[in-house]
Amino acid sequence: AELDTLDILVLGVILLGTFAYLTKGTLWAKQKDPYANAAYLNGNAAKAGKTRNFVEKMEESGKNCIIFYGSQTGTAEDYASRLAKEGKSRFGLETMVADLEEYDFDAMDTLPSDKIAFFVMATYGEGEPTDNAVEFYEFINGDDVAFSQGGEDAPLDNFHYVAFGLGNNTYEHYNSMVRDVDRLLTKYGAHRIGNAGEGDDGAGTMEEDFLAWKEPMWAALAAHMGLEEREAVYEPVFGITVREGLTPQSPEVYLGEPNKMHLEGAQKGPFNAHNPYIAPIAESYELFKVKDRNCIHLEIDISGSTLSYTTGDHIAIWPTNAGDEVDRFLRVTGLTDKREQVISVKALEPTAKVPFPTPTTYDAIVRYHLEIGAPVSRQFVSTLAAFAPTEEIKTEMTKLGSDKDYFHEKTGSQLFNIARLLEHVGNGETWDKIPFSAFIEGLTKLQPRYYSISSSSHVQPKKISVTAVVESSMVVGRQDPFRGVATNYLLALKQKQNGDPEPSPFGLTYELHGPRNKYDGIHVPVHVRHSNFKLPSDPAKPIIMIGPGTGVAPFRGFIQERAQQAREGINVGRTILFFGCRKSTEDFMYESEFEEYKKALGDKFELVTAFSRESSKKAFFYVCGDAANMAREVNTVLAQIIAEGRGVSESKAEEIVKNMRAANQYQEDVW
Ligand code: FAD
C-alpha cells in the first residue's frame, strides 16, 4: 500500500506541464448515410462549417442553457450530459452540452441575462486545463481579454453561470481550474448561481460531491430563473433504428472501427485522440518474477505511421472490453440474441452527439465504445429504477439510488460494474425494459489509457516502450478478481504474442483480432500525447529521479538516453534514481538493464533501492556525537519515521526504538 501512494505521487509529477495537442482529424469523408452520425464523418462542428459563436448557436437551436465541459478522461463530459438531462427533465430547461474547444468566447458578453451557462471543469496534472479547455482558459486568463462589445468595467454583467470542478486533493493545485475560471468570470462582472462545487477524486468522493452539490445548485437556479420543478420522466436522447437491409458483413457497418477512414481500411494521420494508429507490437514480455502479479513491457512499432515522440511523452492505448464482461452486459440487458443486429443511433435533438459511428451492432458498441467496467454512479441507478423487471427490484433500486449510505454499504466493497450490479440486484431477472439510449447517456465512452513512455526517442525513435502493471485484485465475497480493462487487454496481447502456455482464461475472451481482423498479427490502437516532462537540454546537468513501481517508467527512458549519450562520448551529469518495490526477487523491474546502463555511465549512475517487504534484514543504528541536541533529535526523528512508515502512533514508535536500544540494535557513543 505504501507503494501505491508513492506511485500516485510520482504519477502526479509525471503529469507536469501543458499538453497543447489540439490537432484534429480533418480527413473524414462526406456524409452519405442518412442515419449516420455526422461527427464521425465530418470532424467537429467548426470543421463542418458551423458557428463557433455559442450565443448564436443557442439562439438557432432554441436553447436557454449551455453546459460546457473541460474533460480529459470523460468524467466531466459525463457530468455535463447528466446536468443537461436533469435540467431538461426536472426543470424544463432547454439544455445543450458543449465541448469547450468547439466554441470561441469573445461573444460571452452577448449572452442574454435570462440564459445560463454551466462550466464543468476538470483540472489536469499540475493545475492545467484539460486539452479541450486550453484555448478557453488562455482566452479568459489572458492579459488583454477582448469581449465583442468592448471594454466596460464589468463586460460580463449580463452573464450568469454555474460552476463545478473535478480535482484530486493529492495534487498541489487542487481544483485550480474551476477556482480560476470562477475568479476570472467574477472579475469580469459575471454572476455565479449557487456555489462553485468541487469534487475530489483523491478522497474517492467525486460522485458524492457532485450529487451533494447539485441539489442546492438546482434550487438556486430555479429561484433565479423562476423555474418550476416537475416530476422527472425519462426521455431518451438517442433513437435506435434497426437497419433491416444490413448485416455485420455489409461494408458500411462499423464493427468497432473508430471512424470512417478505419472502416474503409485506410490509416491516415494525424493520429490523435480522435483517430488512433493501429500499431504492431514488435515485442512483449513479463517484467515480474512472480506468478500472481504481472507487469508488461511492450515495444510498440510506430515506423509505419507519422507518429513521433520525444523522451518523457505519453502514449495512449485504446482498449477493448473483455468478452466476459461484454457477454455479461448483453445477457443482463436481454440483448444477447440481438448482439449482431445492425442498428443506427441518432440524436433525437440537434445538439446531442452520438459518441460512436453508426450503423453498427450492439456487440460493437458494448465492446469498443462504452466504459462498461467502470464504477456505477448512484444517480444512474436511480434512473434505471424505473425500468426494473419487478416492483420489488424497483424498490431496491430506488433505495440504492437515493440512500447514499445504503448504496455504499451494498456496493462499495464489491467493485461492481453496471452489469454486475444489475445482475446482483436483479436476482436472475433480465433488464430488458431499459431503453438502450439510457446506457449511451449514462455510461462514459470507453477511454484510451495513458502510459508514460519508458524508452528514449534518441535511442529508439520508431519504437515506443510501455511499462504497465496489470490491475487485478481479489474482492471479498466474489469468485473472480476485479480486473482493469486496458492492462488485462495488454496482458492478453502479450500472452497471445508469446504463445504463453497458461494464458489467463479471462484474457482469452478479449477480441484481440479487432473489428474485421484489423488488429490481427498483434496490433494495438494508439496515439501519442506530448508532455513537458523532459530531461534538461544540457546533458551535463545532474538529475535526481524518484520512481517506485511503474513510476520508474519514464526514468527508464531518461537513463536509456543518458547511457547512450555517455557511449557517444557526451559529458553526462550525475544520474540518480530512487526505486522501490516489494522484493528484489519479485518485482525489481529492469534490474539487469540497469546494470548495463551502469556499465555505460559508470559512477555517474546511482541506483538507490528500497524493498518494502524484505524486512528480515534488520539494520543496526550507531549514533555518535553531541548528546544534548543531535542524538536526541535522531532518536525522535527515527520514531517519527517508524510511526509514519508503519502507521503506528508516535508513542508506540518510541517504544520500538526503546526496544531496539535494549536489543543493542540502537547504540550510542555520545557526549
Ligand atoms: P481500469 O479498468 O481503468 O481501472 C482502474 C482503477 O479504477 C481500478 O484499479 C479501480 O481502482 C478503479 N475501478 C475501475 N472499475 C471499477 C469498478 N467497477 N468499481 C470500483 N473501482 C473501479 N500505469 C502504468 O502501469 N504505467 C505507466 O507508465 C503509467 N503512466 C501513466 C501516465 C499518465 C499520464 C496517466 C494519466 C496514467 C498512467 N498510468 C500508468 C495509469 C494507466 O493510465 C491506467 O490507469 C492503468 O493502467 C489502469 O488501467 P486499466 O484500464 O487496466 O484499469
Side-chain angles (χ1 to χ4, degrees):
E2 305 110 73
L3 189 62
D4 291 347
T5 322
L6 273 171
D7 257 340
I8 291 163
L9 270 173
V10 171
L11 285 175
V13 177
I14 296 168
L15 285 168
L16 258 178
T18 49
F19 315 95
Y21 192 62
L22 293 165
T23 42
K24 291 201 123 200
T26 52
L27 296 159
W28 287 285
K30 283 272 171 308
Q31 180 173 353
K32 282 187 217 119
D33 185 330
Y35 296 97
N37 37 331
Y40 291 88
L41 300 169
N42 298 327
N44 62 26
K47 299 266 158 56
K50 294 198 189 123
T51 178
R52 286 187 59 89
N53 178 331
F54 71 87
V55 182
E56 255 174 47
K57 173 85 185 184
M58 289 172 78
E59 295 272 298
E60 265 169 28
S61 45
K63 305 292 178 190
N64 59 358
C65 172
I66 188 162
I67 305 184
F68 290 109
Y69 63 85
S71 190
Q72 195 70 31
T73 61
T75 315
E77 182 177 354
D78 177 43
Y79 286 6
S81 311
R82 283 159 62 179
L83 289 167
K85 221 172 145 51
E86 207 175 328
K88 170 129 181 112
S89 62
R90 280 175 64 185
F91 300 97
L93 278 168
E94 292 303 330
T95 54
M96 66 176 280
V97 175
D99 184 340
L100 278 166
E101 81 179 353
E102 293 188 4
Y103 295 94
D104 296 328
F105 290 88
D106 48 343
M108 277 174 100
D109 55 345
T110 62
L111 186 74
S113 60
D114 60 350
K115 302 197 172 172
I116 185 87
F118 283 49
F119 292 89
V120 184
M121 306 291 299
T123 298
Y124 198 56
E126 298 295 292
E128 307 298 335
T130 57
D131 289 350
N132 77 323
V134 168
E135 276 180 69
F136 163 67
Y137 185 66
E138 281 175 357
F139 171 79
I140 192 83
N141 195 33
D143 288 339
D144 38 19
V145 179
F147 294 105
S148 59
Q149 296 184 340
E152 311 127 53
D153 285 348
L156 297 185
D157 194 27
N158 274 336
F159 193 89
H160 293 78
Y161 71 98
V162 166
F164 184 81
L166 297 87
N168 183 319
N169 75 21
T170 55
Y171 291 83
E172 188 188 340
H173 302 272
Y174 175 54
N175 258 313
S176 64
M177 208 37 56
V178 73
R179 291 179 187 180
D180 275 8
V181 166
D182 184 41
R183 175 178 56 79
L184 292 161
L185 291 174
T186 308
K187 177 176 130 188
Y188 292 115
H191 306 279
R192 191 186 67 233
I193 309 297
N195 289 327
E198 292 186 357
D200 185 2
D201 205 25
T205 54
M206 182 69 79
E207 172 80 8
E208 290 305 336
D209 295 337
F210 173 69
L211 298 183
W213 161 81
K214 73 181 176 56
E215 284 317 312
M217 178 282 293
W218 284 128
L221 187 65
H224 166 73
M225 295 181 81
L227 307 169
E228 291 228 0
E229 181 159 4
R230 55 192 194 189
E231 175 90 31
V233 185
Y234 175 80
E235 278 176 55
V237 173
F238 303 103
I240 316 283
T241 321
V242 178
R243 302 293 301 273
E244 297 292 357
L246 297 175
T247 72
Q249 284 72 44
S250 311
E252 64 266 55
V253 176
Y254 289 85
L255 298 180
E257 291 90 346
N259 58 42
K260 180 136 182 154
M261 283 189 302
H262 282 275
L263 182 70
E264 290 174 347
Q267 285 219 61
K268 266 187 238 149
F271 298 107
N272 53 35
H274 306 272
N275 184 34
Y277 171 61
I278 313 294
I281 299 179
E283 199 190 346
S284 56
Y285 51 86
E286 172 64 53
L287 290 168
F288 286 174
K289 297 188 191 84
V290 269
K291 273 217 150 153
D292 58 335
R293 292 196 300 143
N294 297 94
C295 186
I296 309 297
H297 179 95
L298 299 175
E299 292 288 328
I300 295 170
D301 184 351
I302 54 166
S303 58
S305 74
T306 52
L307 283 173
S308 66
Y309 79 105
T310 56
T311 313
D313 283 346
H314 302 140
I315 184 166
I317 306 261
W318 294 49
T320 55
N321 285 309
D324 259 7
E325 293 298 339
V326 174
D327 293 347
R328 182 193 312 281
F329 184 98
L330 294 172
R331 189 168 61 236
V332 77
T333 53
L335 288 169
T336 306
D337 294 342
K338 293 191 200 161
R339 67 193 301 161
E340 302 297 347
Q341 194 174 67
V342 177
I343 54 170
S344 281
V345 180
K346 246 194 132 171
L348 296 176
E349 67 107 358
T351 57
K353 272 195 215 150
V354 185
F356 43 78
T358 80
T360 182
T361 63
Y362 288 110
D363 187 285
I365 296 171
V366 175
R367 194 179 299 277
Y368 290 96
H369 300 297
L370 295 181
E371 195 78 72
I372 58 167
V376 183
S377 109
R378 189 157 63 83
Q379 192 179 3
F380 192 42
V381 170
S382 284
T383 306
L384 296 185
F387 307 105
T390 67
E391 278 306 310
E392 205 185 333
I393 297 170
K394 180 175 177 175
T395 310
E396 176 67 4
M397 284 291 274
T398 309
K399 183 161 184 215
L400 283 169
S402 56
D403 184 334
K404 173 177 157 185
D405 297 332
Y406 185 67
F407 181 77
H408 290 288
E409 180 200 319
K410 287 280 171 193
T411 68
S413 60
Q414 291 299 304
L415 277 74
F416 280 140
N417 56 36
I418 184 64
R420 282 176 190 264
L421 181 113
L422 294 178
E423 222 173 42
H424 178 79
V425 181
N427 247 328
E429 300 277 345
T430 304
W431 294 72
D432 51 9
K433 289 187 226 150
I434 303 174
F436 195 70
S437 176
F439 291 116
I440 307 174
E441 298 154 36
L443 302 176
T444 353
K445 59 181 173 218
L446 188 57
Q447 296 291 322
R449 269 57 167 181
Y450 288 99
Y451 294 87
S452 305
I453 293 178
S454 59
S455 53
S456 154
S457 56
H458 178 61
V459 177
Q460 45 176 80
K462 288 292 166 193
K463 258 191 217 159
I464 290 179
S465 302
V466 171
T467 309
V469 73
V470 178
E471 289 275 346
S472 176
S473 55
M474 294 312 292
V475 182
V476 181
R478 211 170 105 172
Q479 304 264 309
D480 53 337
F482 164 82
R483 292 184 175 97
V485 175
T487 50
N488 284 282
Y489 171 58
L490 295 180
L491 174 64
L493 284 166
K494 176 247 155 193
Q495 292 180 329
K496 183 174 180 198
Q497 181 161 49
N498 294 275
D500 286 3
E502 288 175 56
S504 142
F506 177 79
L508 285 176
T509 69
Y510 278 95
E511 201 166 82
L512 297 180
H513 49 80
R516 295 185 167 87
N517 293 327
K518 283 173 184 163
Y519 306 173
D520 214 5
I522 316 293
H523 284 69
V524 63
V526 300
H527 72 269
V528 171
R529 189 164 186 277
H530 298 292
S531 95
N532 287 345
F533 194 70
K534 294 291 164 224
L535 278 164
S537 50
D538 175 1
K541 289 257 160 46
I543 59 170
I544 301 170
M545 299 161 286
I546 300 152
T550 44
V552 79
F555 303 137
R556 174 189 181 260
F558 283 15
I559 300 165
Q560 192 183 52
E561 180 145 329
R562 288 203 159 206
Q564 182 61 22
Q565 287 170 328
R567 286 185 206 107
E568 289 164 8
I570 295 170
N571 176 25
V572 173
R574 284 188 72 190
T575 303
I576 305 172
L577 170 66
F578 290 86
F579 173 79
C581 63
R582 290 186 189 173
K583 287 188 177 174
S584 54
T585 50
E586 291 187 355
D587 51 357
F588 188 176
M589 51 185 93
Y590 302 121
E591 183 182 4
S592 54
E593 255 184 55
F594 287 137
E595 282 163 18
E596 290 301 310
Y597 300 142
K598 179 86 189 163
K599 281 183 199 154
L601 286 161
D603 289 347
K604 296 285 174 62
F605 179 47
E606 197 179 326
L607 174 60
V608 184
T609 53
F611 303 106
S612 61
R613 300 199 185 170
E614 283 180 12
S615 50
S616 54
K617 297 183 205 94
K618 286 187 179 152
F620 281 61
F621 270 80
Y622 295 90
V623 184
C624 179
D626 169 48
N629 300 305
M630 184 277 292
R632 250 214 254 146
E633 280 287 296
V634 170
N635 189 99
T636 312
V637 170
L638 180 63
Q640 283 167 357
I641 292 170
I642 291 174
E644 227 178 279
R646 299 195 191 164
V648 296
S649 69
E650 287 214 8
S651 59
K652 173 80 194 159
E654 278 160 20
E655 205 181 302
I656 294 171
V657 178
K658 227 186 217 164
N659 292 338
M660 288 170 70
R661 282 179 189 274
N664 272 341
Q665 225 193 307
Y666 189 106
Q667 299 181 31
E668 283 182 332
D669 183 17
V670 293
W671 56 84

